[in-house]
Amino acid sequence: MARTPSQIGKLAKKRGSEYELEIAKNLFLELGIQFKRNLEQTRTANAGGDLLSDDGDFPFALELKRRRDGNMIPAGAWEQSIQSSDVKAGIYPAVFYRYDHRDTRCVVPWSSIAEAETGINSENILDKADISFIKFCKLAREIMAQRADGANN
């Protein structure tokens, strides 16, 4: 029996919330930082992404997309992430996405990778890199370490 549009919508919402909780748990295991679901985002545009960090130094606004099938970053996800970010304040956009039977991928601006390597913040968010979840965690740690070193010097 075919599902109704209402049933499809409920399943998509459930899949999305389960993915958010999974990523929050995995980020805690990798980074030691607590994340919680941003329930305000459904009511307010540009409310800071799908997950909110309890660490004010975390350098990304996270948008999460969980889909049944596809190949690359879901359409519109990068633009949504840009709206949630604040590059001038040091908060880069990032999109986590996963399709069924595949690993999570993360899309970040090249400028975040450059900052992790050089300590120099750039506002260029047009050029993107598609990286693994583990590489994203390393990138976040490196940026936070660079900023902490810069603040201590």
Side-chain angles (χ1 to χ4, degrees), residues 41-130:
Q41 73 173 9
T42 56
R43 291 177 249 171
T44 309
N46 307 332
D50 291 328
L51 292 177
L52 300 175
S53 166
D54 71 352
D55 186 331
D57 295 328
F58 186 72
F60 290 98
L62 305 177
E63 287 295 332
L64 282 65
K65 303 296 178 189
R66 177 73 174 83
R67 302 283 192 269
R68 195 167 44 103
D69 53 29
N71 288 319
M72 298 180 67
I73 184 174
W78 185 248
E79 292 76 14
Q80 185 179 2
S81 182
I82 288 172
Q83 290 176 357
S84 298
S85 67
D86 186 355
V87 178
K88 289 183 183 191
I91 307 297
Y92 293 108
V95 176
F96 286 40
Y97 68 95
R98 187 174 84 211
Y99 298 106
D100 284 358
H101 312 294
R102 298 196 189 158
D103 292 333
T104 291
R105 302 293 299 172
C106 307
V107 177
V108 296
W110 274 105
S111 54
S112 65
I113 296 170
E115 182 179 353
E117 296 295 322
T118 66
I120 299 170
N121 186 337
S122 166
E123 292 182 21
N124 176 9
I125 54 174
L126 299 178
D127 300 317
K128 304 179 290 288
D130 192 316

